[in-house]
Amino acid sequence: MRAVRVSFVTAAATAAALTAVTGCTEKSAADGDGVIQVTAADSTCETSTTSVPAGQVTLKIANKGSRATEVEILFPDDRIVSEKENIGPGTKYTLTAEVKAGAYEIACRPGMKGLGVRQKLTVTGGGKAAARDPKLDKAVAAYREYAQEQADATIPAVETFAKAVDAGDLEAARNAYAPSRVGWERTEPIAESFGDIDPKTDTRADGLEKGQKWTGWHALEKALWQDKKIGAEQKTLAAQLVTDLKDWQRRVGRAEITPTSMANGAKELLDEVATGKVTGEEDRYSHTDLSDFRANVEGAQKAYELLKPVAAKNDAALTTELDKQFAALDALLDTHRSTDDAAQNGYTAYDKVTKEQRKELSDAVNALAEPLSKLAAAVVK
């Protein structure tokens, strides 16, 4: 679950947000073709250029603010081309993306909330990125099919969950909760690329914007486990969750997918694990975090496996390391399998995972995340 962001904004709202920005400087040239220096702070977002050629774009990001930030490349309608979340204060990150000619925005989102501070970006060229290895086109097509399959499989699972809620069956609803999330968690970067869906379906209580109504899985999770009740409000929320996820299902085929967005998305899934699942914050009432954990890893591994033929040709040492670290994390997760509690979707309840075991999981995620951060650059060498 990403930090919540306001849904699709109108042109007027975007213009107002841009006009209100202060302290944002823009230079006339990038450091090199396709390279943009991005300096994020608590109230500013400085970019070294407003124009780059179509093709590979590299954001060299430095967070000089006091809070974690998120940096995104956005289409005019707020769909995400590529992003990096949780860039800590005083840290740097390099984000590689592929963009076609057109108008975009670069957004820095201090605290990872709201519309963020934005800079316009024009991508020049013949309307499309440079030709790429046909194996990468095949990988993109296969990943698009995978994302659609996961969305299609989610709908009957979430309908089972919603029917249990509607029937007032607390135990059945608890047992259906974690399975209903698997397809979403495997392909969450695709879902998040549509900025209005994730806030409605997967926002935690601490991610709510001021005045935002809490809807989706986690509002229901709290009712089922902490409040231990199902009332009219929960039945309405469950029905709305089905409606919102069917909207996501219809849109998946229109998502912007590139080899670099696949690679960056795989890294984002590992970041989701590190910042939500390992900490126990994601499913804090149900403690079904390990089910989500596994789904995130499976989604990251799918993207990697599809990109591996090209990445291995360009950087064999990297893919060898990634194979090793994925295998290690998979094996570690297997040690936490359990059939004692149907609500846990085959895993140990996370509140029963010891501090030492959580540290072991965290170390394994970090060991995989570091080489995975290099995958995007490897596929476009």
Side-chain angles (χ1 to χ4, degrees):
M1 190 286 307
R2 64 177 294 137
V4 65
R5 179 158 59 85
V6 177
S7 61
F8 291 111
V9 294
T10 64
T14 301
L18 287 167
T19 301
V21 170
T22 60
C24 297
T25 62
E26 300 174 349
K27 299 178 183 178
S28 60
D31 296 58
D33 283 351
V35 178
I36 306 172
Q37 302 286 342
V38 180
T39 304
D42 289 342
S43 60
T44 61
C45 184
E46 300 178 3
T47 59
S48 60
T49 187
T50 58
S51 179
V52 292
Q56 182 179 334
V57 172
T58 300
L59 302 188
K60 293 188 176 181
I61 305 162
N63 182 8
K64 295 188 177 181
S66 62
R67 295 178 289 169
T69 195
E70 177 176 347
V71 175
E72 304 165 328
I73 303 174
L74 300 167
F75 288 106
D77 63 5
D78 246 23
R79 285 179 299 130
I80 298 171
V81 179
S82 196
E83 65 176 342
K84 177 65 181 80
E85 301 176 4
N86 287 299
I87 305 170
T91 63
K92 296 180 179 181
Y93 190 84
T94 298
L95 178 66
T96 301
E98 295 166 85
V99 290
K100 299 177 182 179
Y104 300 85
E105 290 180 339
I106 293 175
C108 302
R109 300 177 56 234
M112 297 183 294
K113 289 187 177 183
L115 292 171
V117 184
R118 301 188 175 201
Q119 296 285 11
K120 292 181 179 179
L121 176 67
T122 300
V123 178
T124 60
K128 62 179 181 179
R132 61 192 179 206
D133 190 322
K135 291 180 181 178
L136 291 177
D137 290 326
K138 183 178 179 181
V140 168
Y143 188 72
R144 187 180 297 279
E145 183 177 352
Y146 171 74
Q148 188 66 62
E149 288 172 351
Q150 295 303 309
D152 292 345
T154 295
I155 301 307
V158 80
E159 286 177 333
T160 297
F161 174 56
K163 286 176 183 176
V165 173
D166 191 59
D169 190 331
L170 190 68
E171 182 179 3
R174 286 177 171 180
N175 292 344
Y177 171 78
S180 76
R181 291 174 54 76
V182 171
W184 172 276
E185 292 291 338
R186 284 174 177 160
T187 59
E188 196 164 0
I190 296 292
E192 290 180 350
S193 72
F194 305 108
D196 60 333
I197 295 178
D198 184 84
K200 293 187 289 187
T201 59
D202 200 29
T203 298
R204 304 193 305 251
D206 54 344
L208 294 170
E209 295 279 7
K210 185 177 180 179
Q212 180 189 358
K213 178 178 172 55
W214 194 17
T215 59
W217 272 299
H218 296 299
L220 288 162
E221 179 199 5
K222 178 179 181 295
L224 296 175
W225 272 273
Q226 180 170 294
D227 303 337
K228 300 178 182 179
K229 70 175 185 179
I230 297 175
E233 180 182 1
Q234 285 70 46
K235 294 177 182 182
T236 299
L237 288 175
Q240 186 61 47
L241 179 63
V242 173
T243 298
D244 291 336
L245 289 171
K246 284 184 176 179
D247 183 23
W248 161 61
Q249 178 195 26
R250 286 190 294 269
R251 292 201 221 175
V252 164
R254 303 198 299 271
E256 181 75 10
I257 302 174
T258 66
T260 54
S261 75
M262 289 170 59
N264 290 329
K267 176 59 167 58
E268 286 297 324
L269 286 170
L270 263 291
D271 290 345
E272 287 277 341
V273 172
T275 60
K277 281 69 173 184
V278 167
T279 62
E281 295 175 62
E282 181 77 358
D283 296 297
R284 62 191 65 175
Y285 311 107
S286 64
H287 306 298
T288 56
D289 302 271
L290 285 173
S291 176
D292 284 2
F293 190 137
R294 172 67 83 175
N296 283 159
V297 173
E298 287 173 342
Q301 192 160 9
K302 180 67 175 181
Y304 163 61
E305 291 292 346
L306 291 173
L307 295 170
K308 183 179 173 180
V310 173
K313 180 178 66 176
N314 293 339
D315 193 339
L318 177 64
T319 55
T320 297
E321 181 65 14
L322 284 168
D323 288 342
K324 173 185 173 182
Q325 298 302 337
F326 267 117
L329 184 53
D330 285 339
L332 182 57
L333 280 169
D334 283 341
T335 68
H336 292 281
R337 288 190 179 275
S338 173
T339 57
D340 292 341
D341 186 347
Q344 297 300 318
N345 201 29
Y347 289 91
T348 302
Y350 205 63
D351 59 340
K352 296 178 182 178
V353 177
T354 67
K355 181 179 179 180
E356 291 74 19
Q357 289 172 323
R358 293 187 185 201
K359 176 65 163 55
E360 189 178 21
L361 287 164
S362 179
D363 289 346
V365 169
N366 291 337
L368 173 57
E370 192 279 328
L372 196 59
S373 68
K374 302 174 183 177
L375 181 61
V379 300
V380 294
K381 277 187 178 179

